[in-house]
Amino acid sequence: MAKKKSEKETSPTQIEFQAEIQKVLDILIHSLYTEREIFLRELLSNALDALHRIQFEMLTNRNVLDEGAELAVYLETDEAHRTLTIRDTGIGMTQAEMVENLGTIARSGAQQFLQAIQKADEKGQTITADIIGQFGVGFYSVFMVAEEVTVASRSYRPEAEAAVWQSGGQGTYTVGPANKPDRGTTITIKLKEDAKEFAQPYRVRQIVKTHSDFGAFPIYLKEEKPPAEGKEDKDEGKTEFVQVNQQTALWRESPREVEEEKYKSFYQQLTLDFGDPLLRLHTSADAPVQFYALLFVSSKRDYRIFGIKEDYGIKLYSRKILIRENFKELLPKYLRFIEGVVDSEDLPLNVSRETVQTTPLLAKIKSVLVRRIASELEKLAEDKPETYRTFWREFGGFIKEGIATEPDSHDKFVDLLRFQSSQGTGKDDWMSLAQYAGRMKRDQNEIYYILGDDYDVISRSPHLEYFKKHDIEVLYLTDPMDSFMLVSLNEYQGKSLKNVDDAGLDLPAEEKTEETEPEATIPTGLFEALVSRFREVLGERVTDVRESKILTDSPCRLVNPPGAMNTGMQRVQRLLDKDYQIPKKILEINRHSGLIQNISARLAANTEDELINPLIEQLFESALVEEGIHPNPAEMIPRIQQLMEAAAKMQGM
Ligand code: ADP
Ligand code: MG
């Protein structure tokens, strides 16, 4: 930073905005956005941040300018001159810091905002309130309402000089020295003609109440004194600063005493999500650690457009002082969709990523929180199945990720899993493993599942025939995350989870004995000849061809040879690897299938029959499609046409 020199200069310097910033500004200046009031929320949030930072600084640093000044924000309006002023006694900025913070893109939500705009543009969407509202474009949002903005600031460092930054948002800004003896930042906004409402105290009060009611420091607004009772109103027209925000640490109150509305507006101010949260967890603990927590799950995973934002994490307070924002170490990564506040009396103020390991306290808070979140979700599943279904749809992937990545989390989260199933009434019927276990057959020792990309495809899979016939439930795993999860989830309540395409299934005994030879079948000699022909045609593409003991109607299916990578892992490979190779499997063929019988008959009549080989090829490739592992199904078309041509010819004869 080239600060010393520029700070000594006496006349203002003109500097161009970074190109990206100018782009953001152009959009904001010309936006016909109805919720322009959020500019004030952004400026207040910056002021409150600056106050948090000076508070933190004062705890560790004795050398601070204006140590006695009240930590607060002061708002002043001037309708006649169409101005709004926001003053704080926060940490302040030097001239170099102003250039750095208010002229470059790296410093704010602006970068994300630009990306969102580009994304919306590509999709042909218009730039809506959502985009502006959700990104917290930060300081720059002031240009939605400002003709000109003046930022005068003085850093908390006693030796630093005051500076002033000024811009109309049109290409350039100026910075220079200022005469400001006291610590903090004063932002003066000359409002555009069409934004003069923001120079009215009642309007400003309303915005503070809506967006910043729970700020940790007082927000004062200069208002007219109400006429004093009885006396002649000699005070009329006089003004005074009145606190407008509530300034409560809601999380420290007793949940029984907090009104629903307060929770809701706290949530909205915390997350900037304008909807309602799906779930709230307001809890506290005394042992083994003391803390308060107020956590939320939003009702939509991507209310922020990009889904879970990069800077997820909890707001961490120690004795009501914000010590870390977006603190990621307090919850496991897979719970990153949870937002909220944790406040503990016991935490050291210098807590950081590095100190996590050496602060057993945090580990304790974390484990209590994880347990409470899990049981809160279980309660939700029990008490409000409809809401839980929404939760599962939006956030189920994170729970699966937890199971996949942290085996320790199994017992806490495994009962939250939901799957579609062969016994469900349709795509929207979701089962838990407990439900499955509760209706297993008497001799059933395994939990069966089938993997696939799509409910409709797998519900017709030949692998299911046996299970449907014998009324054994099979779970449908259609989420790409499922394959990852299965790598570490292989049993539930002592029952192994088994893929229905596993060659060595331990099927219920009573069902197996029922499996007596059905009527029509192919004589053994002919069937052996057919199997040999299959082997010849398919060669290296299969590990073996053999008779199926399980199929009833379908002609064939592919199963995994013993010792092969399971289908789940194969799917993971396919998702991760560009040079995917079709895994080799065993082709099982069904002696009772009409189609197989006809092929066998053709072979018996004439070993040179031209249709036999393409039929075998096609059966094999169709099975690949059913497994979801065909690299390019379109390649089958010429052969299908060849077979259709043959079929059409026979009809004509
Ligand atoms: P963000 O708040 O996301 O960092 P902003 O655009 O809102 O982005 O603000 C940019 C930066 O300007 C802040 O990070 C902060 O360093 C600085 N800043 C803005 N307002 C103030 C203020 N009132 N006091 C001190 N610094 C401020
Ligand atoms: Mg900000």
Side-chain angles (χ1 to χ4, degrees), residues 55 124 132 174 194 254 274 276 280 328 339 351 373 420 422 442 453 518 567:
Q55 188 183 40
I132 297 177
T174 60
D194 68 0
S254 152
F274 296 111
D276 287 311
R280 172 182 77 229
K328 298 187 170 55
E339 300 179 89
V351 60
I373 289 166
Q420 294 159 322
S422 59
R442 203 170 341 114
D453 298 322
T567 314

Side-chain angles (χ1 to χ4, degrees), residues 42 45-46 49 138-139:
E42 295 293 339
S45 113
N46 286 349
D49 282 351
F139 173 76

Side-chain angles (χ1 to χ4, degrees), residues 1-9 95-96 159-161:
M1 272 187 281
K3 53 180 160 213
K4 270 276 131 35
K5 194 161 169 263
S6 55
E7 274 174 15
K8 287 275 183 270
E9 276 166 18
Q95 182 168 319
E159 75 287 358
E161 286 162 36

